[in-house]
Amino acid sequence: MRTANVRTIVVWTLVALVGAAGWSVLALSRGEEVSAAWMVAAALGSYAVAYRFYSKFIAYKVLKVDHTRATPAERLNNGIDFHPTDRRVLLGHHFAAIAGAGPLVGPVLAAQMGYLPGTIWIIVGVIFAGAVQDMVVLFFSTRRDGRSLGQMAREEIGPFGGAAALLAAFAIMIILLGVLALVIVNALAASPWGTFSIAMTIPIALLMGFYLRVLRPGRVTEVSLIGVGLLLLALVSGRWVAESSWADAFTLAPSTLVVWLVAYGFIASILPVWMLLAPRDYLSTFMKIGTIALLALGVVIALPTLKMDPVTDFASRGDGPVFAGSLFPFVFITIACGALSGFHSLISSGTTPKMIQKETQVRMIGYGSMLMESSVAVMALVAASIIDPGLYFAMNAPAGAIGTTVESASQVVTGWGYSISPADLARAAKDVEESTLLSRTGGAPTLAVGVSQIFSEVTGGGLKAFWYHFAIMFEALFILTALDAGTRVGRFMLQDMLGNVYRPFKNVSWKPGLVGTSAVVCGLWGYFLWVGVHEPLGGINQLFPIFGISNQLLAAVALAVCTTLLVKSGRLKWAWITGIPLAWDATVTLTASWQKVFSSDPKVGFFKQRSVFRDAIDRGEVLPPAKNMGDMHTVVTNSTVDGVLAAVLAVLIVVVIVDAVRVCIRHVRRPALSTLSEATYVESKIVAPAGLFPTSEEKEEERSAVGTRTGP
């Protein structure tokens, strides 16, 4: 056996052992202190083995990616939406586009059930479901000229199931974009540091785009160093601006932020992709991955212990103060990203397939990016689990449950079995220079507290306030990159839908369609956002309760399309790769939908909540979270809308799945009747590596290509 092979076996055996050790400690520890470093070890060991072996098996054995086949970016290159993009830049774009609010706040909220259920779902779910979905959707969309998920469903499943998929996907997309935008507004409102730093990423990205396109084409390393340097300068300057006379200019009200976000979303969706979107997302990725990597390093250095229970009593009782419902199915809905996300399938069938240079890159960009996002979710869960559980529940429980004073909060939280004194609650707020941390719901403030605790321990116990506000700004930057890419993808989806009626819309770069559909998409999510900002119980706040369910229902559509395409393309024996995740996701999400619609618990069931509030109105009572009779009527309306939407979306997804099963059965019985809408093979002229670092064979291929171009 060659020395290189022996070395490889030893290395991967050690990696597997690290992961196994992490899992063993997390699963078997009962009562004793457990270091958060074991969670990091379990995650990184599992990710490494999965990427090296499972993703390679799927890419080369199942999908049979072809490096000689030209991608849509090469064949249809028009410099607007279709543009061959360096794999490193595209990796940054794709990761930044898929990594929104979900991996940051979902795991924080799911910590209510304990750290173990969330950890298992985040890591196991991403390896066998989320990353598989992202890569397979990207592959099949690349083979179909970058078609959107809904359009692929229409062409491959049929007009009935396809129409349901198109409608469901577009409706869910608008909800997701509105929720992402609301989180950004809440994070940036009255935050001059965050607003300034994020605003500066736009001119920096424009500079990077023109640098790569006009000034120094192909010089990715150069532009990366320039961009990162300017980004760090913007971050440092942001704090200086916040403490200067310029602070007022960057202290924006929520309504003003809504206008700027809508304007930015519109502009980003119509400009050539190389000019703003791709370089800005690539730039943001440095900060995202850099911060998460430093956070993981901080865990290894500081070795904080996991203070949350492995599994809490709320997991079985289902009466948690953060969100109601039992562990199954609601942990898998609350962690809407990081393990499996339908939103990702829209990016994988949106911007990315129109920019990818080689089919062989779908493994790194599709599977690899999702593993990166999952690592974000793991670190968010770590941050939530290392803080005092009493503080965690005081921050994430609504004011109606714990009151508005540290004394009342301390008493209620202690009654739940997690004691914390009023002095400790007051001290925690003072440490991060906040007036109070009570009922800071939504997950983002809790994550910021956890991040500040880890970083402050590494730096000697100080600077908690600095790291807290840095984390708040980081979250806003993290989410904004999903908003701009999502808006562009929403435009693609609407153009595909309209293209079935009026053919010019099929050309996604057709200027009238490009501008018009972008305006419609921005107008829709912008409207819900505007109302939500001005009415605490209205607009996008009305749709927020179905965010997790709708996202996971969309994943069921994506997995159904992938399974159908595997069957129709002659890969029946490998259909289990997406079929098993589909069965699991459908079971979990449809169970959650059923409970949200029909549960007799008013904290869970929408229609039961409607009934309770309706009866209270008849009695003249005001129930929390309502503050007056007007709010009571709004809650009744919201419960009705959410219940109806949850039911309609579930029915649409069932239609898609049933129609997909019908198509698969028909193909197995009579394969001659099946047709594929795959683009015709065209030989590729582009030479580019499949992974982040080229192999020796790929280096030789690049040298040969350069010699051919420059030779006599």
Side-chain angles (χ1 to χ4, degrees):
M1 185 180 292
R2 291 186 304 172
T3 304
N5 291 338
V6 173
R7 188 185 305 117
T8 300
I9 292 173
V10 171
V11 168
W12 284 106
T13 299
L14 291 175
V15 170
L17 288 174
V18 168
W23 281 116
S24 299
V25 172
L26 293 176
L28 301 178
S29 297
R30 291 293 181 271
E32 62 269 31
E33 289 189 345
V34 178
S35 171
W38 289 114
M39 192 183 294
V40 175
L44 295 182
S46 301
Y47 295 154
V49 172
Y51 184 79
R52 171 60 180 82
F53 297 101
Y54 193 51
S55 70
K56 186 175 182 180
F57 161 73
I58 295 174
Y60 291 96
K61 181 70 174 181
V62 179
L63 301 179
K64 297 181 179 178
V65 292
D66 185 356
H67 78 284
T68 70
R69 189 186 188 106
T71 65
E74 181 178 357
R75 291 186 290 102
L76 306 175
N77 182 11
N78 61 12
I80 301 176
D81 296 309
F82 294 90
H83 176 66
T85 304
D86 185 281
R87 69 198 184 283
R88 293 161 291 186
V89 175
L90 187 57
L91 176 67
H93 159 73
H94 186 81
F95 169 72
I98 65 173
L104 291 176
V105 301
V108 173
L109 302 180
Q112 168 184 267
M113 302 293 191
Y115 65 78
L116 192 56
T119 302
I120 294 173
W121 172 233
I122 290 169
I123 299 174
V124 176
V126 73
I127 290 171
F128 295 106
V132 173
Q133 171 206 256
D134 292 13
M135 177 171 64
V136 177
V137 169
L138 177 56
F139 171 78
F140 281 125
S141 180
T142 300
R143 282 279 176 102
R144 285 157 180 77
D145 291 342
R147 285 279 186 261
S148 68
L149 176 67
Q151 188 61 26
M152 285 197 294
R154 186 180 187 278
E155 293 173 352
E156 301 292 353
I157 295 178
F160 188 57
L166 278 167
L167 180 60
F170 187 71
I172 291 171
M173 185 64 161
I174 297 302
I175 294 172
L176 299 181
L177 290 174
V179 170
L180 290 174
L182 181 64
V183 176
I184 296 169
V185 169
N186 290 338
L188 291 184
S191 174
W193 181 8
T195 302
F196 174 83
S197 298
I198 289 174
M200 289 302 100
T201 63
I202 297 175
I204 295 172
L206 289 170
L207 171 63
M208 293 173 66
F210 280 98
Y211 193 96
L212 279 178
R213 177 81 172 186
V214 180
L215 301 178
R216 301 273 286 175
R219 305 289 183 171
V220 176
T221 303
E222 287 182 16
V223 80
S224 299
L225 293 174
I226 294 172
V228 171
L230 292 174
L231 175 62
L232 293 175
L233 179 61
L235 294 176
V236 174
S237 300
R239 194 183 190 200
W240 173 79
V241 167
E243 298 171 351
S244 72
S245 58
W246 290 9
D248 290 344
F250 292 95
T251 305
L252 304 181
S255 56
T256 306
L257 284 168
V258 171
V259 174
W260 280 112
L261 281 178
V262 172
Y264 170 73
F266 176 76
I267 293 171
S269 67
I270 63 175
L271 285 178
V273 71
W274 59 265
M275 187 181 295
L276 176 60
L277 191 67
R280 188 184 180 285
D281 289 351
Y282 176 61
L283 176 66
S284 300
T285 296
F286 281 102
M287 182 179 175
K288 291 182 176 184
I289 293 300
T291 301
I292 295 302
L294 288 175
L295 197 56
L297 182 62
V299 169
V300 173
I301 294 173
L303 296 177
T305 57
L306 297 169
K307 295 184 173 61
M308 186 64 74
D309 296 329
V311 182
T312 68
D313 292 339
F314 297 124
S316 57
R317 296 206 310 258
D319 60 350
V322 180
F323 62 90
S326 57
L327 189 153
F328 179 88
F330 289 105
V331 159
F332 309 99
I333 302 303
T334 304
I335 302 178
C337 298
L340 174 64
S341 171
F343 177 74
H344 296 186
S345 68
L346 303 182
I347 303 297
S348 292
S349 60
T351 53
T352 306
K354 299 176 179 65
M355 301 162 66
I356 195 167
Q357 292 175 314
K358 308 291 288 185
E359 272 191 9
T360 48
Q361 295 171 356
V362 301
R363 179 187 174 210
M364 176 187 71
I365 294 171
Y367 201 97
S369 290
M370 185 54 189
L371 292 183
M372 290 161 59
E373 196 204 55
S374 185
S375 69
V376 174
V378 168
M379 295 313 303
L381 186 56
V382 167
S385 301
I386 64 166
I387 66 176
D388 188 292
L391 177 59
Y392 170 86
F393 285 107
M395 291 186 67
N396 289 282
I402 63 172
T404 57
T405 66
V406 291
E407 289 78 15
S408 63
S410 171
Q411 183 177 359
V412 173
V413 171
T414 300
W416 291 335
Y418 300 97
S419 62
I420 187 168
S421 69
D424 288 337
L425 288 172
R427 188 182 307 110
K430 183 179 180 181
D431 286 344
V432 296
E433 297 180 8
E434 291 280 358
S435 58
T436 181
L437 289 176
L438 300 183
S439 299
R440 296 294 300 273
T441 57
T446 304
L447 174 61
V449 168
V451 170
S452 70
Q453 183 169 316
I454 294 171
F455 281 155
S456 65
E457 287 182 16
V458 173
T459 55
L463 301 176
K464 262 193 176 182
F466 171 83
W467 291 119
Y468 173 84
H469 291 284
F470 170 84
I472 292 292
M473 184 273 298
F474 163 74
E475 291 168 28
L477 175 63
F478 204 101
I479 299 166
L480 185 58
T481 54
L483 182 69
D484 52 19
T487 301
R488 197 180 192 98
V489 172
R491 187 250 288 180
F492 292 152
M493 294 168 63
L494 185 56
Q495 286 178 280
D496 274 346
M497 291 173 63
L498 296 176
N500 296 316
V501 179
Y502 185 58
R503 192 158 187 82
F505 280 103
K506 288 285 187 184
N507 177 6
V508 294
S509 300
W510 179 53
K511 289 293 177 63
L514 179 155
V515 174
T517 52
S518 294
V520 170
V521 171
C522 289
L524 287 172
W525 66 256
Y527 165 76
F528 287 113
L529 177 62
W530 178 268
V531 177
V533 164
H534 290 83
E535 298 179 19
L537 297 177
I540 198 58
N541 297 300
Q542 180 184 63
L543 302 176
F544 194 89
I546 62 172
F547 169 75
I549 286 178
S550 60
N551 188 47
Q552 300 307 80
L553 286 173
L554 187 56
V557 173
L559 290 167
V561 171
C562 290
T563 304
T564 303
L565 284 170
L566 285 173
V567 172
K568 289 179 66 177
S569 60
R571 301 173 173 92
L572 175 61
K573 67 178 180 179
W574 304 122
W576 59 268
I577 290 172
T578 54
I580 292 177
L582 168 61
W584 168 257
D585 181 54
T587 300
V588 168
T589 313
L590 292 176
T591 299
S593 298
W594 179 271
Q595 292 187 19
K596 294 299 288 185
V597 174
F598 297 111
S599 174
S600 59
D601 183 350
K603 293 181 179 180
V604 177
F606 290 128
F607 290 136
K608 183 62 177 179
Q609 183 186 61
R610 178 188 184 280
S611 176
V612 168
F613 275 76
R614 184 76 262 176
D615 292 343
I617 290 174
D618 294 339
R619 297 192 303 268
E621 295 181 20
V622 176
L623 304 178
K627 297 179 180 178
N628 51 53
M629 275 298 166
D631 287 349
M632 291 289 290
H633 286 283
T634 301
V635 171
V636 169
T637 301
N638 291 355
S639 300
T640 305
V641 170
D642 288 338
V644 170
L645 274 177
V648 169
L649 290 175
V651 169
L652 287 175
I653 270 60
V654 170
V655 168
V656 174
I657 294 174
V658 170
D659 214 17
V661 171
R662 177 189 63 81
V663 170
C664 290
I665 293 174
R666 186 186 66 180
H667 173 81
V668 172
R669 290 177 175 175
R670 305 180 68 181
L673 297 180
S674 298
T675 58
L676 288 171
S677 57
E678 194 173 277
T680 304
Y681 174 90
V682 174
E683 185 177 0
S684 175
K685 305 298 182 185
I686 292 178
V687 176
L692 200 59
F693 303 104
T695 63
S696 55
E697 292 82 3
E698 289 171 337
K699 289 179 180 178
E700 181 59 35
E701 186 181 12
E702 287 181 324
R703 283 193 292 267
S704 299
V706 171
T708 302
R709 289 194 296 267
T710 60

